[in-house]
Amino acid sequence: MSFGDSFNGRQRDALLNATLFRSLPHARLALAAWRDHYNHHRQLGQLGWLTPASYAARWTEKQKLEERPLGAIDDDGTPVPAG
């Protein structure tokens, strides 16, 4: 099963099977609120108890640091340790 399939299944179980929508705008609003909660507030054990947004931000920062050449200087003038 792919990540997308797993995500869609959880989304369907958590929201779609439990909610009666009054209109398309209501459905869109409910889905947006669910997505915000899932990505920014719900901590996941598979991500070291970080939210998906926090995990992504740390991963992005780590990638930026690892791509710096040896001897690079940080914005505040301090040397950056090698990756």
Side-chain angles (χ1 to χ4, degrees):
M1 179 182 299
S2 73
F3 174 77
D5 293 336
S6 178
F7 173 80
N8 290 338
R10 281 193 305 275
Q11 183 175 24
R12 183 175 49 251
D13 290 343
L15 181 66
L16 299 178
N17 291 340
T19 305
L20 295 175
F21 299 111
R22 297 182 300 271
S23 63
L24 184 56
H26 177 237
R28 287 180 176 151
L29 183 64
L31 288 166
W34 184 89
R35 233 181 354 258
D36 178 69
H37 174 75
Y38 187 91
N39 288 320
H40 299 284
H41 304 285
R42 184 171 179 242
Q43 298 171 340
L44 302 174
Q46 300 92 331
L47 302 178
W49 300 107
L50 296 171
T51 65
S54 296
Y55 183 84
R58 284 189 181 190
W59 186 85
T60 301
E61 186 61 30
K62 183 179 176 192
Q63 289 300 109
K64 287 179 185 176
L65 290 174
E66 288 178 353
E67 292 173 0
R68 289 179 155 176
L70 183 61
I73 303 297
D74 210 343
D75 295 336
D76 65 0
T78 58
V80 176

